[in-house]
Amino acid sequence: MVKDTEYYDLLGVSSTATDIEIKKGYRRAALKWHPDKNPNNPDAERIFKEIAEAYQVLSDPQTRALYDELGRDGLQSTGSAPPQDIDPMEFFTMIFGGDASKAYIGELNFLQMMFDAENDESKEGGGGEEEKNDKFVHNGDSFADVAKSGDEALHERRKKFDSESIKKQREAEEAKVAALSKSLKEKLDAVVDPTDPNDATMHSFLDSVNKDIENLKLESFGIQICHLIGKIYTFKAATFLKSKKLFGTIHKITSNLKQSKDTVKGMLEMLNSASEAQNSLAAMQALEDPDMDPYQRVQYEQAMTGKFISVAWASSKFEITQTLYAVCDKVLNDKSVNLETRKKRAQLLLAMGTLFANAQRDASEEEDQMVFEKLMEDASHIKSRDLRRQAYAKQRAQKVNSTRQNTNTNQNNNNSPPTIHPPKSPSTTSTTTTTTTTTTSSPSPSSRSPFAKLKKFL
């Protein structure tokens, strides 16, 4: 009997729910109450944080046991309650596969290096924690401010990516590949005979893989990572087995060309997504207006969030692909074991790859599409070229209106009736004429303001 069920109620599950059911409940509740999906609900952000807090407690066996015994208040009194704020690096790790993916792809070094550079910059600049975290949210700033800060951050980041940083990243990648390949070898070598349908070790192996897939596919971008693992495992395993047959050299050359093609394709995808995000932000900066409709502003903010996620996913996907290729090469080209052992590894890798490639979410899981996947998908329908056209049309309209207003002002001045002055002495007339000329030569503020505002806007 549990002390209270508040956390379970937030996730919509019973107190006897399994780990998978808790994870499903969290995804379902997070999608329902995510602030980006409820821009007009002031309670959405608070409820979303409570849902995240509930999941952090219930997903950990130790804190869940404490909560069942003591309840929410009792858990907080022990100091075991989870922190309210999530570390930005942890947040991005959760977006791309979470803990369920680490056994296969490890930590994402590119994201880690990016955050290391941000931390170094914060230390040098003396920025506090609040200032550091503000870089990852919009916080109601104008798109111009976001663009300016983004350009400045990019300039600083480029200076950080020197030869020492690249060397550090390469060393981290090599260490990650070594650890992942060692773990995969142990997993594969535990199977006695992959061709024997009655082999207990083979059944245990397949059950373990299926469990990993069930956990991973529920994570944000988990199904995409499953399919990526499946694609590379089956490709590398099939290529290795074919290379050991007659004319195997041809298969090996063909596979190397395909791998090189995938690498180039991944790099182009990264560049294209970054260019799309940058152009969209510039266009939104031009479209921004103090009187912008709040609904439209929320739409633009969601679109930019989706495009930034798209850039991060393209970078992460490229890194994951290169990591998996390197791990497979180490496992299949391990000269410390004989050829038969390597063939057995290839057969098992092929079986694993098939399971990962065929992974699918069921109907309820598809209905509860992941929040960040949906944001990226929605943002993909908003093209930077369309935004640029809108910005150009708005600028043209402002120029036309400004010119028309200026023309009307000049016409009004020209059509005004002349002032008739009574005869005066020559000296007085001369003074008056001079004064009048001086007064009418200066343009009125109203005729100047449209151009001044347009110049500032542009």
Side-chain angles (χ1 to χ4, degrees):
M1 190 67 180
V2 298
K3 178 78 172 178
D4 68 56
T5 61
E6 183 179 357
Y7 282 157
Y8 293 103
D9 294 340
L10 280 167
L11 303 186
V13 298
S14 68
S15 59
T16 58
T18 64
D19 292 342
I20 293 294
E21 290 172 339
I22 287 173
K23 186 173 291 186
K24 286 183 177 181
Y26 167 66
R27 300 301 182 190
R28 189 160 41 243
L31 178 61
K32 180 180 179 181
W33 291 103
H34 195 280
D36 283 334
K37 294 297 179 185
N38 301 273
N40 298 322
N41 189 341
D43 296 327
E45 185 174 356
R46 174 183 59 79
I47 296 174
F48 182 75
K49 288 181 178 180
E50 291 178 353
I51 289 169
E53 179 182 324
Y55 177 68
Q56 284 182 287
V57 170
L58 299 181
S59 61
D60 183 273
Q62 293 182 345
T63 55
R64 181 181 179 181
L66 280 173
Y67 170 73
D68 289 346
E69 179 183 354
L70 305 173
R72 184 177 183 178
D73 294 338
L75 184 67
Q76 291 177 343
S77 66
T78 63
S80 301
Q84 292 183 348
D85 296 328
I86 299 177
D87 180 74
M89 180 60 197
E90 182 183 347
F91 174 73
F92 272 95
T93 302
M94 288 171 60
I95 291 180
F96 302 118
D99 292 334
S101 65
K102 289 182 180 179
Y104 293 92
I105 64 174
E107 297 280 359
L108 295 175
N109 290 326
F110 178 81
L111 290 177
Q112 183 64 59
M113 186 174 70
M114 181 183 73
F115 278 96
D116 287 345
E118 290 285 352
N119 291 335
D120 292 343
E121 184 180 343
S122 297
K123 291 177 182 177
E124 292 171 5
E129 187 69 21
E130 181 180 353
E131 179 183 345
K132 180 182 71 173
N133 289 339
D134 281 349
K135 296 180 181 180
F136 302 97
V137 293
H138 193 277
N139 275 354
D141 294 336
S142 67
F143 292 111
D145 293 336
V146 175
K148 182 179 178 181
S149 62
D151 292 341
E152 293 173 353
L154 179 63
H155 179 69
E156 291 298 323
R157 210 170 289 126
R158 280 174 178 168
K159 292 195 296 184
K160 296 286 183 182
F161 287 168
D162 54 10
S163 58
E164 184 178 348
S165 298
I166 295 173
K167 180 182 177 182
K168 182 180 178 181
Q169 184 187 18
R170 187 183 298 115
E171 290 174 350
E173 180 67 18
E174 290 174 354
K176 179 174 70 173
V177 168
L180 290 173
S181 59
K182 180 183 177 182
S183 175
L184 185 56
K185 287 176 189 176
E186 293 172 352
K187 192 182 188 75
L188 299 175
D189 292 344
V191 179
V192 176
D193 186 1
T195 61
D196 184 4
N198 298 319
D199 184 5
T201 58
M202 184 63 178
H203 285 292
S204 176
F205 169 77
L206 294 176
D207 288 342
S208 174
V209 173
N210 280 320
K211 185 178 180 181
D212 290 342
I213 292 173
E214 286 297 312
N215 285 328
L216 180 53
K217 74 179 186 178
L218 294 176
E219 297 287 349
S220 181
F221 287 90
I223 199 70
Q224 291 89 335
I225 294 175
C226 280
H227 292 164
L228 188 58
I229 293 172
K231 173 188 172 183
I232 294 175
Y233 276 11
T234 53
F235 169 69
K236 295 298 288 186
T239 299
F240 178 83
L241 293 172
K242 288 178 181 178
S243 69
K244 302 307 173 186
K245 297 180 180 179
L246 188 63
F247 304 114
T249 305
I250 297 176
H251 288 294
K252 190 172 183 179
I253 294 173
T254 304
S255 69
N256 288 338
L257 289 174
K258 186 179 184 305
Q259 186 170 330
S260 299
K261 181 181 176 182
D262 286 346
T263 300
V264 173
K265 183 180 178 182
M267 293 179 68
L268 289 176
E269 186 178 349
M270 276 197 304
L271 293 173
N272 289 336
S273 61
S275 176
E276 172 70 15
Q278 188 177 29
N279 291 336
S280 296
L281 182 59
M284 288 180 189
Q285 175 188 350
L287 284 169
E288 189 175 24
D289 189 274
D291 300 325
M292 179 183 288
D293 179 62
Y295 176 75
Q296 188 179 37
R297 171 177 281 278
V298 170
Q299 268 193 323
Y300 283 166
E301 289 178 1
Q302 288 181 353
M304 280 315 307
T305 301
K307 289 187 181 296
F308 288 145
I309 291 173
S310 179
V311 175
W313 167 241
S315 304
S316 300
K317 183 181 176 182
F318 179 78
E319 182 181 343
I320 291 169
T321 300
Q322 299 307 307
T323 297
L324 291 172
Y325 276 139
V327 169
C328 289
D329 286 339
K330 273 190 170 293
V331 169
L332 298 176
N333 298 322
D334 182 11
K335 302 299 183 182
S336 64
V337 296
N338 57 38
L339 180 60
E340 290 304 315
T341 300
R342 282 182 278 151
K343 284 184 177 180
K344 186 186 82 169
R345 289 177 178 176
Q347 291 170 351
L348 291 169
L349 207 58
L350 190 61
M352 286 179 70
T354 302
L355 292 175
F356 274 103
N358 293 329
Q360 297 293 333
R361 291 176 180 145
D362 60 33
S364 65
E365 293 162 351
E366 280 294 343
E367 184 179 351
D368 302 327
Q369 190 178 20
M370 303 301 140
V371 174
F372 300 106
E373 295 174 28
K374 189 69 168 61
L375 281 172
M376 189 177 78
E377 180 185 349
D378 292 344
S380 68
H381 301 304
I382 301 176
K383 304 297 183 183
S384 61
R385 62 175 180 270
D386 296 330
L387 293 172
R388 288 200 302 270
R389 289 194 190 104
Q390 293 177 27
Y392 178 72
K394 180 178 179 180
Q395 291 172 3
R396 286 291 302 271
Q398 284 186 329
K399 287 180 180 179
V400 169
N401 291 336
S402 176
T403 303
R404 187 174 299 164
Q405 182 180 357
N406 191 46
T407 302
N408 291 338
T409 302
N410 292 335
Q411 288 177 348
N412 291 335
N413 291 336
N414 293 333
N415 294 333
S416 59
T419 303
I420 301 176
H421 300 283
K424 295 183 180 179
S425 63
S427 59
T428 306
T429 305
S430 176
T431 305
T432 304
T433 304
T434 305
T435 305
T436 304
T437 304
T438 305
T439 303
T440 56
S441 65
S442 177
S444 64
S446 60
S447 66
R448 220 175 32 232
S449 60
F451 291 102
K453 289 181 180 179
L454 183 60
K455 183 176 180 181
K456 183 177 181 182
F457 177 81
L458 295 174

